[in-house]
Amino acid sequence: MNFTGIISQMDMKKVKLLDENRLNLELENEGFKVCVLQEIESTNSSLKAHLEQHHHGYVLVSEVQTKGRGRQERSFISNASKGIYASFVWRMKFDPQQLRWFSLMLAKAIVNALNQSTALDFKIKWPNDIYLENKKCGGILIESEINPEQTEVSLVCGFGINVYQQDFPTELKDKVISIEDCCKHVLDRNELLVEILREINKQCLKPYQAHSKELYMQSCIIPHKWVNIQQNREFFKAKLIGINDDA
């Protein structure tokens, strides 16, 4: 059975497969080069393993991930053509403050793009989970390598968005959501990915500015709430009341 054969006939009526030529044509002025695969274990793992071979702005996206993963090595469900599973290379000067803010502004960029594309109200669950209707709709995983001189950092930035995904484990049914659950019009993952990458350029190429905190907090859904924090393999509770200049 070929790749499209694993998608039901009903799904094929609404699902458009990712189109590498179209994506690169629409992003030719954005500095991104997109490679579309039919299947991979993990886009992040693949880029990380061959990081030195890829330039800034190289994007790897797959229709399926067989071992998709998120933060703290949690698995990320990545069924055939049901979402956007992408990772990209981003290189920048090594600056701890800028690096911390990059993670938050990446989430802000994705939320902005999704809101503009769907007319829905996506939010960020601190630090960078993507939420819709108080349920998780996507996540971000950033892995980094710093050069020996500690002057440049190379990031592998992965994000996964549930677009048509409905096959969730029973224990997650009340905690996760897909865009199609709330969106009234047919979704084109090519259009969503283009808008996300454009907004990433818009938000993440800029250095941290004083208003970055306000921009992020406008989309954050848990200010003034207690959260679980992991630091140095220890867990503790803290009340999130805002973000300081160090993110």
Side-chain angles (χ1 to χ4, degrees):
M1 181 179 293
N2 61 22
F3 173 72
T4 55
I6 66 177
I7 306 174
S8 70
Q9 291 182 351
M10 182 177 297
D11 284 342
M12 285 299 294
K13 293 179 181 180
K14 64 182 180 181
V15 173
K16 291 185 178 180
L17 297 181
L18 294 168
D19 185 331
E20 182 176 302
N21 290 333
R22 175 185 169 187
L23 290 166
N24 282 309
L25 182 62
E26 295 195 36
L27 291 165
E28 63 180 349
N29 296 321
E30 298 289 338
F32 290 109
K33 175 66 176 178
V34 181
C35 174
V36 175
L37 300 180
Q38 292 185 356
E39 182 177 307
I40 199 172
E41 287 191 355
S42 162
T43 56
N44 248 53
S45 295
S46 179
L47 282 189
K48 188 178 178 182
H50 306 96
L51 185 55
E52 70 284 351
Q53 300 176 18
H54 301 304
H55 57 77
H56 174 93
Y58 182 85
V59 184
L60 183 62
V61 57
S62 182
E63 292 285 3
V64 181
Q65 286 187 124
T66 58
K67 294 182 180 179
R69 58 192 179 89
R71 295 171 61 240
Q72 300 177 9
E73 295 302 320
R74 296 189 181 101
S75 61
F76 188 89
I77 300 170
S78 313
N79 291 347
S81 302
K82 298 294 188 179
I84 296 174
Y85 321 123
S87 299
F88 63 93
V89 176
W90 193 273
R91 291 191 165 89
M92 56 193 291
K93 291 182 179 179
F94 177 60
D95 180 324
Q97 183 193 48
Q98 297 291 349
L99 187 57
R100 287 189 291 269
W101 273 106
F102 177 88
S103 172
L104 302 190
M105 296 314 292
L106 175 58
K108 175 65 174 174
I110 293 174
V111 161
N112 283 357
L114 292 175
N115 286 340
Q116 294 162 11
S117 299
T118 65
L120 298 174
D121 189 20
F122 288 84
K123 295 291 186 181
I124 305 165
K125 181 180 178 183
W126 181 82
N128 55 16
D129 280 338
I130 310 302
Y131 268 58
L132 177 64
E133 299 290 330
N134 291 316
K135 296 181 180 180
K136 186 172 179 177
C137 189
I140 295 171
L141 174 64
I142 300 178
E143 299 176 287
S144 62
E145 288 188 10
I146 303 171
N147 68 352
E149 297 78 20
Q150 295 192 335
T151 58
E152 182 183 83
V153 59
S154 298
L155 306 176
V156 175
C157 309
F159 56 92
I161 308 294
N162 298 326
V163 181
Y164 294 114
Q165 180 66 260
Q166 296 296 332
D167 300 323
F168 297 110
T170 303
E171 64 272 17
L172 295 179
K173 289 284 188 181
D174 296 329
K175 299 178 180 179
V176 293
I177 195 170
S178 287
I179 299 177
E180 76 162 346
D181 294 328
C182 303
C183 194
K184 295 180 180 179
H185 61 267
V186 176
L187 299 161
D188 183 344
R189 291 175 304 138
N190 292 284
E191 292 179 4
L192 289 176
L193 182 56
V194 166
E195 291 307 312
I196 287 172
L197 292 173
R198 284 176 176 164
E199 191 67 18
I200 287 172
N201 258 354
K202 181 179 176 181
Q203 297 294 333
C204 297
L205 280 175
K206 298 181 295 187
Y208 167 75
Q209 301 174 31
H211 67 278
S212 297
K213 288 187 294 185
E214 287 70 27
L215 289 174
Y216 175 81
M217 292 303 291
Q218 287 171 6
S219 298
C220 191
I221 63 173
I222 57 168
H224 308 288
K225 292 187 178 181
W226 290 94
V227 296
N228 295 314
I229 305 292
Q230 181 182 5
Q231 188 174 48
N232 299 326
R233 298 186 180 180
E234 294 184 358
F235 290 87
F236 61 92
K237 287 186 176 293
K239 192 172 186 179
L240 177 62
I241 59 174
I243 304 294
N244 63 19
D245 289 340
D246 291 325

Short mmCIF file of all heavy atoms in Angstrom, two decimals, residues 120-144:
data_model
loop_
_atom_site.label_atom_id
_atom_site.label_comp_id
_atom_site.label_asym_id
_atom_site.label_seq_id
_atom_site.Cartn_x
_atom_site.Cartn_y
_atom_site.Cartn_z
N LEU A 120 -9.54 31.88 15.16
CA LEU A 120 -9.79 31.30 16.47
C LEU A 120 -8.94 32.02 17.51
O LEU A 120 -8.23 32.98 17.20
CB LEU A 120 -9.48 29.80 16.45
CG LEU A 120 -10.34 28.96 15.49
CD1 LEU A 120 -9.84 27.51 15.45
CD2 LEU A 120 -11.81 29.00 15.90
N ASP A 121 -9.01 31.58 18.76
CA ASP A 121 -8.32 32.26 19.85
C ASP A 121 -7.33 31.30 20.51
O ASP A 121 -7.61 30.74 21.56
CB ASP A 121 -9.32 32.79 20.86
CG ASP A 121 -8.68 33.69 21.92
OD1 ASP A 121 -7.56 34.20 21.65
OD2 ASP A 121 -9.28 33.87 23.00
N PHE A 122 -6.18 31.12 19.87
CA PHE A 122 -5.14 30.26 20.44
C PHE A 122 -4.40 31.02 21.54
O PHE A 122 -4.25 32.25 21.49
CB PHE A 122 -4.14 29.85 19.36
CG PHE A 122 -4.68 28.84 18.39
CD1 PHE A 122 -5.43 29.25 17.30
CD2 PHE A 122 -4.45 27.49 18.56
CE1 PHE A 122 -5.94 28.33 16.39
CE2 PHE A 122 -4.94 26.56 17.67
CZ PHE A 122 -5.70 26.98 16.58
N LYS A 123 -3.94 30.27 22.53
CA LYS A 123 -3.21 30.85 23.65
C LYS A 123 -1.95 30.04 23.92
O LYS A 123 -1.77 28.93 23.40
CB LYS A 123 -4.08 30.86 24.92
CG LYS A 123 -5.32 31.74 24.83
CD LYS A 123 -4.97 33.22 24.80
CE LYS A 123 -6.22 34.09 24.86
NZ LYS A 123 -5.88 35.53 24.82
N ILE A 124 -1.07 30.59 24.75
CA ILE A 124 0.16 29.90 25.16
C ILE A 124 0.03 29.48 26.62
O ILE A 124 -0.31 30.30 27.47
CB ILE A 124 1.39 30.83 25.03
CG1 ILE A 124 1.50 31.39 23.62
CG2 ILE A 124 2.67 30.08 25.43
CD1 ILE A 124 2.46 32.57 23.52
N LYS A 125 0.27 28.23 26.90
CA LYS A 125 0.41 27.80 28.28
C LYS A 125 1.90 27.85 28.60
O LYS A 125 2.69 27.14 27.98
CB LYS A 125 -0.14 26.39 28.50
CG LYS A 125 -0.01 25.93 29.95
CD LYS A 125 -0.56 24.53 30.15
CE LYS A 125 -0.38 24.10 31.61
NZ LYS A 125 -0.84 22.71 31.85
N TRP A 126 2.27 28.68 29.54
CA TRP A 126 3.67 28.91 29.84
C TRP A 126 4.41 27.59 30.07
O TRP A 126 3.88 26.70 30.74
CB TRP A 126 3.78 29.78 31.10
CG TRP A 126 5.18 30.11 31.50
CD1 TRP A 126 5.98 31.10 31.00
CD2 TRP A 126 5.95 29.45 32.51
NE1 TRP A 126 7.20 31.09 31.62
CE2 TRP A 126 7.21 30.08 32.55
CE3 TRP A 126 5.72 28.37 33.37
CZ2 TRP A 126 8.22 29.68 33.41
CZ3 TRP A 126 6.71 27.97 34.22
CH2 TRP A 126 7.95 28.61 34.24
N PRO A 127 5.62 27.40 29.47
CA PRO A 127 6.30 28.43 28.69
C PRO A 127 5.93 28.46 27.20
O PRO A 127 5.89 29.51 26.60
CB PRO A 127 7.77 28.07 28.85
CG PRO A 127 7.76 26.59 29.02
CD PRO A 127 6.50 26.26 29.78
N ASN A 128 5.64 27.28 26.59
CA ASN A 128 5.43 27.34 25.14
C ASN A 128 4.54 26.23 24.58
O ASN A 128 4.75 25.77 23.46
CB ASN A 128 6.77 27.37 24.40
CG ASN A 128 7.68 26.21 24.78
OD1 ASN A 128 7.23 25.23 25.36
ND2 ASN A 128 8.95 26.32 24.45
N ASP A 129 3.54 25.79 25.34
CA ASP A 129 2.54 24.88 24.78
C ASP A 129 1.45 25.71 24.11
O ASP A 129 1.11 26.80 24.57
CB ASP A 129 1.92 24.01 25.88
CG ASP A 129 2.82 22.83 26.25
OD1 ASP A 129 3.67 22.46 25.42
OD2 ASP A 129 2.66 22.29 27.36
N ILE A 130 0.88 25.17 23.05
CA ILE A 130 -0.14 25.87 22.28
C ILE A 130 -1.52 25.32 22.68
O ILE A 130 -1.76 24.12 22.58
CB ILE A 130 0.06 25.68 20.76
CG1 ILE A 130 1.53 25.98 20.37
CG2 ILE A 130 -0.91 26.54 19.98
CD1 ILE A 130 1.99 27.37 20.72
N TYR A 131 -2.39 26.22 23.14
CA TYR A 131 -3.70 25.81 23.65
C TYR A 131 -4.83 26.45 22.85
O TYR A 131 -4.71 27.56 22.32
CB TYR A 131 -3.84 26.20 25.12
CG TYR A 131 -3.41 25.09 26.07
CD1 TYR A 131 -2.14 24.56 26.03
CD2 TYR A 131 -4.31 24.55 26.99
CE1 TYR A 131 -1.75 23.54 26.88
CE2 TYR A 131 -3.93 23.53 27.85
CZ TYR A 131 -2.66 23.03 27.79
OH TYR A 131 -2.28 22.01 28.63
N LEU A 132 -5.93 25.70 22.79
CA LEU A 132 -7.16 26.16 22.15
C LEU A 132 -8.32 25.65 22.98
O LEU A 132 -8.38 24.45 23.29
CB LEU A 132 -7.24 25.61 20.71
CG LEU A 132 -8.50 25.95 19.91
CD1 LEU A 132 -8.62 27.45 19.69
CD2 LEU A 132 -8.49 25.22 18.56
N GLU A 133 -9.22 26.53 23.37
CA GLU A 133 -10.36 26.16 24.21
C GLU A 133 -9.89 25.44 25.48
O GLU A 133 -10.51 24.47 25.93
CB GLU A 133 -11.33 25.26 23.43
CG GLU A 133 -11.92 25.90 22.20
CD GLU A 133 -12.91 27.02 22.52
OE1 GLU A 133 -13.56 26.95 23.57
OE2 GLU A 133 -13.00 27.97 21.71
N ASN A 134 -8.79 25.93 26.05
CA ASN A 134 -8.24 25.38 27.30
C ASN A 134 -7.78 23.93 27.18
O ASN A 134 -7.69 23.21 28.18
CB ASN A 134 -9.24 25.51 28.45
CG ASN A 134 -9.45 26.95 28.86
OD1 ASN A 134 -8.49 27.71 29.00
ND2 ASN A 134 -10.70 27.34 29.05
N LYS A 135 -7.47 23.50 25.95
CA LYS A 135 -6.93 22.17 25.73
C LYS A 135 -5.68 22.29 24.86
O LYS A 135 -5.57 23.21 24.05
CB LYS A 135 -7.96 21.27 25.04
CG LYS A 135 -9.20 20.99 25.88
CD LYS A 135 -10.16 20.08 25.13
CE LYS A 135 -11.40 19.78 25.96
NZ LYS A 135 -12.35 18.88 25.24
N LYS A 136 -4.77 21.34 25.02
CA LYS A 136 -3.53 21.40 24.26
C LYS A 136 -3.76 21.06 22.80
O LYS A 136 -4.34 20.03 22.47
CB LYS A 136 -2.48 20.45 24.86
CG LYS A 136 -1.11 20.58 24.21
CD LYS A 136 -0.05 19.79 24.95
CE LYS A 136 1.30 19.92 24.26
NZ LYS A 136 2.38 19.21 24.97
N CYS A 137 -3.26 21.94 21.93
CA CYS A 137 -3.40 21.73 20.49
C CYS A 137 -2.04 21.56 19.81
O CYS A 137 -1.97 21.15 18.66
CB CYS A 137 -4.14 22.92 19.88
SG CYS A 137 -4.62 22.69 18.16
N GLY A 138 -0.97 21.87 20.53
CA GLY A 138 0.36 21.75 19.95
C GLY A 138 1.44 22.01 20.97
O GLY A 138 1.17 22.42 22.10
N GLY A 139 2.65 21.74 20.57
CA GLY A 139 3.79 21.95 21.47
C GLY A 139 5.05 22.27 20.71
O GLY A 139 5.11 22.15 19.48
N ILE A 140 6.05 22.70 21.47
CA ILE A 140 7.33 23.13 20.90
C ILE A 140 8.46 22.42 21.64
O ILE A 140 8.41 22.26 22.86
CB ILE A 140 7.50 24.66 21.03
CG1 ILE A 140 6.44 25.39 20.20
CG2 ILE A 140 8.90 25.11 20.62
CD1 ILE A 140 6.39 26.88 20.44
N LEU A 141 9.46 22.00 20.90
CA LEU A 141 10.66 21.39 21.47
C LEU A 141 11.88 22.07 20.86
O LEU A 141 12.05 22.04 19.63
CB LEU A 141 10.70 19.89 21.19
CG LEU A 141 11.99 19.16 21.61
CD1 LEU A 141 12.17 19.21 23.12
CD2 LEU A 141 11.97 17.70 21.12
N ILE A 142 12.71 22.68 21.70
CA ILE A 142 13.92 23.35 21.23
C ILE A 142 15.14 22.67 21.83
O ILE A 142 15.22 22.48 23.05
CB ILE A 142 13.93 24.84 21.62
CG1 ILE A 142 12.72 25.55 21.00
CG2 ILE A 142 15.23 25.51 21.16
CD1 ILE A 142 12.62 27.02 21.36
N GLU A 143 16.08 22.27 20.98
CA GLU A 143 17.33 21.67 21.42
C GLU A 143 18.48 22.49 20.86
O GLU A 143 18.41 22.98 19.73
CB GLU A 143 17.40 20.22 20.96
CG GLU A 143 16.26 19.37 21.54
CD GLU A 143 16.25 17.96 21.04
OE1 GLU A 143 15.89 17.75 19.86
OE2 GLU A 143 16.59 17.05 21.81
N SER A 144 19.54 22.65 21.64
CA SER A 144 20.59 23.60 21.25
C SER A 144 21.98 22.99 21.34
O SER A 144 22.23 22.06 22.11
CB SER A 144 20.53 24.85 22.13
OG SER A 144 20.76 24.52 23.48
#
